[in-house]
């Protein structure tokens, strides 16, 4: 039996098994995730939460809604229904807990454009961020990155079209040969509205979409 016939037989087997409501329906659903993007959280579900929220997923897992739990200075603490906690600073991930391998803290370079709001138009900015992980433990790993403008892109967030500047932050030299490219969609106010961020070498990237922005209280 050639490879094509094997694929056809396996596909037919899955189809019959799924239609009969057997255990293979779960396998079929999981395979489906590999071939299509996870669905966005519905507007109705977002509107039912009165607090600030973000839509998040790790890798190609289903999207989930995380809720703003606490604000300390410029650090926002977000919590999911299964108690995974994500901490952000100016929209960038600086800490993740509740997973097997955790990001204890990410010390962001003070010159980082997302902190300073001085975004480059053509220049490449070289940065050094420091990462501390647990399980396994690794303290203050320096990771050099390059930050640059990529393109202008119009994106849709909950039915609203937003024009954004897209920036890429690519990992360079580091002691564990950790390679990644973070991607940030920045609105014309200089704020992250969408991002794809790598936060540990042992986890897939986090995909974040701001669904109900936190607004700082006025003085």
């Amino acid at each position: 039996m050639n490879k094509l016939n094997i694929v056809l037989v396996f596909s037919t087997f899955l189809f019959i098994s799924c239609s009969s409501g057997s255990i293979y329906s779960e396998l079929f659903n999981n395979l489906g995730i590999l071939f299509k993007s996870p669905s966005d959280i519905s507007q109705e579900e977002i509107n039912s939460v009165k607090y600030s929220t973000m839509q998040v997923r790790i890798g190609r897992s289903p999207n989930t809604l995380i809720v703003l739990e606490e604000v300390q200075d410029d650090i926002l603490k977000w919590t999911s229904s299964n108690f995974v906690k994500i901490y952000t600073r100016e929209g960038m991930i600086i800490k993740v807990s509740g997973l097997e391998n955790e990001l204890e803290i990410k010390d962001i370079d003070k010159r980082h454009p997302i902190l300073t709001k001085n975004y480059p138009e053509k220049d490449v900015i070289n940065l050094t961020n420091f990462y501390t992980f647990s399980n396994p433990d690794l303290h203050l790993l320096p990771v050099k990155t390059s930050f640059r403008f990529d393109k202008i892109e119009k994106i849709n967030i909950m039915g609203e079209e937003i024009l954004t500047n897209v920036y890429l932050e690519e990992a360079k030299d580091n002691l564990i040969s950790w390679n990644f490219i973070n991607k940030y969609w920045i609105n014309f106010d200089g704020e992250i509205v969408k991002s794809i961020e790598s936060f540990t070498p042992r986890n897939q990237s986090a995909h974040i979409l701001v669904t109900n922005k936190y607004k700082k209280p006025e003085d």
Side-chain angles (χ1 to χ4, degrees):
M1 183 180 292
N2 60 34
K3 292 182 178 180
L4 178 59
N5 288 335
I6 292 173
V7 172
L8 288 174
V9 169
F10 181 67
S11 300
T12 303
F13 174 71
L14 278 178
F15 177 76
I16 294 172
S17 300
C18 292
S19 61
S20 63
S22 73
I23 191 173
Y24 293 98
S25 61
E26 182 177 352
L27 173 61
F28 186 82
N29 290 335
N30 290 338
L31 284 174
I33 292 176
L34 298 177
F35 300 103
K36 63 180 181 180
S37 298
S39 300
D40 286 334
I41 303 294
S42 70
Q43 187 68 58
E44 182 180 4
E45 184 176 350
I46 293 168
N47 291 341
S48 68
V49 180
K50 62 181 180 179
Y51 305 104
S52 299
T53 58
M54 296 195 303
Q55 174 182 283
V56 177
R57 75 173 189 268
I58 307 297
R60 297 192 65 83
S61 64
N63 284 310
T64 187
L65 207 60
I66 61 175
V67 177
L68 181 62
E69 177 185 345
E70 186 180 11
V71 179
Q72 288 191 350
D73 298 325
D74 59 347
I75 308 299
L76 306 185
K77 177 183 178 183
W78 308 82
T79 303
S80 71
S81 58
N82 59 350
F83 303 109
V84 173
K85 299 183 185 297
I86 297 177
Y87 299 73
T88 61
R89 181 183 178 193
E90 296 295 337
M92 290 184 290
I93 295 174
I94 63 163
K95 180 178 180 178
V96 179
S97 65
L99 302 175
E100 184 175 351
N101 176 227
E102 298 184 342
L103 172 63
E104 289 288 339
I105 194 66
K106 173 185 174 181
D107 292 319
I108 304 171
D109 193 312
K110 293 180 180 179
R111 300 174 296 114
H112 201 295
I114 293 177
L115 297 184
T116 65
K117 306 304 179 187
N118 294 322
Y119 294 99
E121 295 182 3
K122 296 181 180 179
D123 297 336
V124 175
I125 298 178
N126 295 312
L127 305 165
T128 302
N129 304 305
F130 292 85
Y131 292 77
T132 297
F133 308 121
S134 64
N135 192 27
D137 296 340
L138 185 56
H139 186 65
L140 291 177
L141 170 72
V143 178
K144 295 181 179 180
T145 63
S146 62
F147 187 95
R148 63 178 176 86
F149 172 78
D150 182 41
K151 61 183 177 180
I152 296 175
E153 183 177 351
K154 184 181 290 185
I155 61 174
N156 189 294
I157 299 180
M158 304 300 122
E160 180 183 358
E161 289 192 336
I162 298 175
L163 200 60
T164 65
N165 290 316
V166 182
Y167 292 89
L168 303 179
E169 185 174 12
E170 182 176 0
K172 300 296 184 183
D173 299 334
N174 60 80
L175 298 174
I176 60 174
S177 301
W178 183 23
N179 298 314
F180 62 83
I181 299 178
N182 291 339
K183 191 172 184 179
Y184 306 99
W185 285 259
I186 310 293
N187 66 16
F188 286 176
D189 291 326
E191 302 167 329
I192 295 176
V193 293
K194 179 180 176 181
S195 67
I196 301 174
E197 300 179 57
S198 186
F199 57 96
T200 80
R202 293 196 170 190
N203 288 296
Q204 294 181 296
S205 296
H207 296 244
I208 295 179
L209 183 70
V210 177
T211 49
N212 188 1
K213 184 176 70 173
Y214 167 68
K215 297 179 181 178
K216 294 181 181 180
E218 297 181 0
D219 295 333

